[in-house]
Amino acid sequence: EVQLVESGGGLVQSGGSLRLSCEVSGFTFENYWMTWVRQAPGKGLEWVANINEPGTEKYYADFLNGRFTISRDNAKTSLYLQMNSLRVEDTALYYCAKHRKDGYNRWESYFDWWGQGTLVTVSS
Amino acid sequence: EIVLTQSPATLSLSPGERATLSCRASQSVSYLAWYQVKPGQAPRLLIYDASIRATGIPARFSGSGSGTDFTLTISSLEPEDFAVYYCQQRSSWPPFTFGPGTEVDIK
């Protein structure tokens, strides 16, 4: 059974840092692109960042302005999001998600498995 | 950046009724997905490539459309279908963008 379990969320003051983790099981983690998506309270889904299988390619949403870093440890089957210089507007539920592969084993940017999220609250 | 808009924002229906949700893109997209999100649960991929049901998704969910106009149809609403639905494009990235969502609630 595929499982993605996020952790590391919590309450932090504006300007602070947090490191989110996503531990996965049930699939060969090292063979899949992974993504972080967030959802602010009462708002919609917003893509944050993604990373390729070996961790050598990383892409970020423009609004991050270099404050967040995505990484992975394939030996630990874990995905991470280091969040620095946090702002009140970063308050959200943060989901990790697995990219789907097509019938030719090529990665696609649809997200076929998600965790339940970890809540980050940034206070002023 | 491709902007997705969804309508209506809220759809109030009864179990057994048909739900029709719309997603419109600011420019033509070739690749579009639909997700279902319920409070406290992991989001679920329903439809990808506009019309292909993901693994394990019931046949009452169907997707259609191309270019800039897409539709998710739930042929007969089950109690577990009351949720928020988002469309997402992957044609032009980064960023991948989602629509603002349509909430299907019980009338």
Side-chain angles (χ1 to χ4, degrees):
Chain A
E1 181 191 6
V2 173
Q3 285 194 317
L4 296 86
V5 181
E6 301 94 338
S7 61
L11 177 63
V12 62
Q13 283 196 323
S14 179
S17 298
L18 277 177
R19 188 192 194 211
L20 305 185
S21 299
C22 171
E23 188 167 348
V24 315
S25 59
F27 65 96
T28 306
F29 179 70
E30 63 187 21
N31 291 347
Y32 289 88
W33 283 68
M34 297 293 295
T35 259
W36 287 98
V37 173
R38 71 184 187 182
Q39 185 173 26
K43 303 294 185 181
L45 300 173
E46 184 174 49
W47 175 76
V48 173
N50 69 347
I51 187 168
N52 72 342
E53 297 95 331
T56 55
E57 288 185 54
K58 305 174 185 182
Y59 299 90
Y60 298 93
D62 286 345
F63 61 79
L64 295 176
N65 291 314
R67 299 180 298 121
F68 292 8
T69 302
I70 190 171
S71 63
R72 65 192 294 162
D73 185 332
N74 288 340
K76 295 182 178 179
T77 64
S78 293
L79 177 72
Y80 305 102
L81 187 67
Q82 177 65 45
M83 304 187 297
N84 299 328
S85 303
L86 282 161
R87 303 168 180 168
V88 171
E89 54 266 34
D90 293 320
T91 294
L93 186 62
Y94 284 75
Y95 296 103
C96 66
K98 167 186 165 290
H99 282 248
R100 187 183 173 277
K101 282 190 174 182
D102 68 10
Y104 298 96
N105 206 36
R106 297 173 302 194
W107 74 282
E108 292 185 323
S109 289
Y110 299 127
F111 314 121
D112 59 355
W113 288 96
W114 300 59
Q116 293 191 326
T118 186
L119 182 62
V120 173
T121 304
V122 184
S123 66
S124 55
Chain B
E1 174 178 325
I2 295 177
V3 176
L4 301 178
T5 56
Q6 291 184 243
S7 61
T10 304
L11 196 52
S12 296
L13 295 168
S14 301
E17 289 193 293
R18 182 183 188 90
T20 303
L21 289 67
S22 174
C23 176
R24 179 164 289 179
S26 59
Q27 56 188 276
S28 183
V29 300
S30 300
Y31 304 103
L32 188 111
W34 291 92
Y35 298 86
Q36 179 191 68
V37 181
K38 296 180 184 179
Q41 295 187 21
R44 183 165 71 145
L45 173 66
L46 301 174
I47 300 287
Y48 64 92
D49 287 351
S51 62
I52 302 175
R53 273 190 302 277
T55 302
I57 302 303
R60 64 180 181 274
F61 291 93
S62 63
S64 63
S66 63
T68 60
D69 290 294
F70 299 86
T71 300
L72 174 70
T73 302
I74 311 170
S75 59
S76 178
L77 283 163
E78 296 288 338
E80 62 267 27
D81 298 338
F82 292 93
V84 183
Y85 294 85
Y86 294 91
C87 55
Q88 176 238 330
Q89 67 82 24
R90 70 171 187 92
S91 292
S92 174
W93 72 279
F96 305 108
T97 51
F98 293 88
T102 290
E103 181 179 10
V104 179
D105 68 12
I106 300 176
K107 187 174 181 181

